[in-house]
Amino acid sequence: MTLDKTDPRPSRRSNKKATSPLASYLLRRLGTSVLLLLGVTIVTFALTNLVPGDPITAALGEGASNNPATVAAYVERYGLDQPLPVQYLTYLGNLLQGDLGRSLSTGRAVTADLAVAVPATIEIAIGAILVSLFVSVALGTLAAYRRGLVTDQVVRVVSLIGLSVPTFWLALVAFNLFFLQLGIAPGSGRLSPQLSPPPTITGFHTLDFLLNGDSVGFVDAMAHLALPVFVLSLFTVGLLTRFIRTSVLEVLDQDYVRAARAKGLSGARVVLDYVLRGASLPILTVVGIAFGSLLSGTVLVEAVFAWPGLGTYAYNSATSLDLPGVMGVGLVVGVIYLLVNFVVDLLYGFLDPRVRLG
């Protein structure tokens, strides 16, 4: 008797296996992110329209707003006479075309303003999170290994100071000390007045100077980054150090770490291959939250250093009742958190198979 090799059942089983658990996990997370993004647009639109004040007067000024014909033309142009659901659908349709409207305070397209402000904030946020992560991993791991000793107590005090000192106060002190008193740090802004911004490639001045082969501009941009990054790093170091210490302590009590030590592995290998790898998932979560907070919470630091970033733009838009600008900032902040969470979920799926199979 011959076997029938055309049985369709194996092919059905193979089709079920065609989609890997990781791909399925990423598709689920991507679908969730899209729904959350839609929710962000709804919340941003609703809250912006509930802000007290008259945006028409803020946009036109006292004189023009007293002219009924001018007001009627403005209302008709921007569809302010339509019901809120219709206004939202119009806003969503424009958003899908990349149109966030025109800023009432700058007169430019909101997308053009954000194209300058967002990279400026991301530049200092990336620098701050990299410095914070490097310092926090070293201090948190050291404190965990020296649990209860003087080193542990010193690290905990340092992290507590970092959490307790207000960032705006530290920014003022750092600016006064290093720029006004000692003169060892450059002043405010992203570049010195005698330098022109590099041709825009990425929007990050440091990287754009490198890509254009301008070492002088690169050094100047890095020098202007130093103080904002230092100020933002102190609070983040305090937060991450305490959490990393706790996570490492939990892993140190695990059996597989004791087994690695019993095998005679070097201390550095035990830390890198076993301890930090075992503590990576909870640390990754806190790093993602801290990075999102850095991107959306730099208003006061940017104000002290006259840094033309997202925080400065948000403040100027809010104080001038620039609703398109406020909505643009709210949308960008929401997208930032969604992207950070999506990247964290993606890394979770790569690091821990239990997550993508769940």
Side-chain angles (χ1 to χ4, degrees), residues 54-172:
D54 186 2
I56 298 177
T57 303
L60 299 178
E62 290 290 343
S65 61
N66 292 326
N67 188 331
T70 303
V71 173
Y74 179 85
V75 168
E76 182 179 359
R77 178 184 177 185
Y78 289 99
L80 299 180
D81 55 341
Q82 300 293 327
L84 284 180
V86 176
Q87 293 184 40
Y88 170 73
L89 292 177
T90 302
Y91 166 72
L92 190 60
N94 293 334
L95 186 62
L96 293 176
Q97 300 176 21
D99 182 9
L100 294 177
R102 186 166 294 275
S103 171
L104 304 179
S105 56
T106 66
R108 298 188 299 268
V110 174
T111 51
D113 290 338
L114 293 177
V116 176
V118 173
T121 296
I122 291 178
E123 193 169 29
I124 57 174
I126 289 178
I129 200 66
L130 290 178
V131 171
S132 302
L133 188 59
F134 178 79
V135 175
S136 300
V137 168
L139 292 180
T141 305
L142 178 63
Y145 268 87
R146 300 288 184 178
R147 173 174 41 184
L149 301 180
V150 175
T151 305
D152 181 25
Q153 300 299 327
V154 171
V155 170
R156 294 173 69 179
V157 170
V158 170
S159 64
L160 182 60
I161 292 174
L163 288 172
S164 304
V165 176
T167 54
F168 73 90
W169 180 83
L170 181 63
L172 291 171

Side-chain angles (χ1 to χ4, degrees), residues 218-280:
F218 171 76
V219 172
D220 187 79
M222 288 293 292
H224 280 79
L225 271 175
L227 282 183
V229 166
F230 166 73
V231 170
L232 290 173
S233 297
L234 185 61
F235 174 82
T236 312
V237 164
L239 173 67
L240 294 180
T241 298
R242 295 173 67 88
F243 193 85
I244 290 173
R245 176 186 178 275
T246 302
S247 300
V248 171
L249 283 175
E250 292 178 357
V251 175
L252 286 176
D253 294 331
Q254 299 297 319
D255 293 336
Y256 65 87
V257 175
R258 296 193 186 98
R261 290 172 174 171
K263 291 179 181 178
L265 298 178
S266 64
R269 185 173 179 183
V270 171
V271 170
L272 295 176
D273 292 348
Y274 293 88
V275 177
L276 290 181
R277 186 174 180 180
S280 60

Side-chain angles (χ1 to χ4, degrees), residues 208-219:
D208 286 347
F209 275 125
L210 276 181
L211 295 176
N212 286 280
D214 188 343
S215 59
V216 175
F218 171 76
V219 172

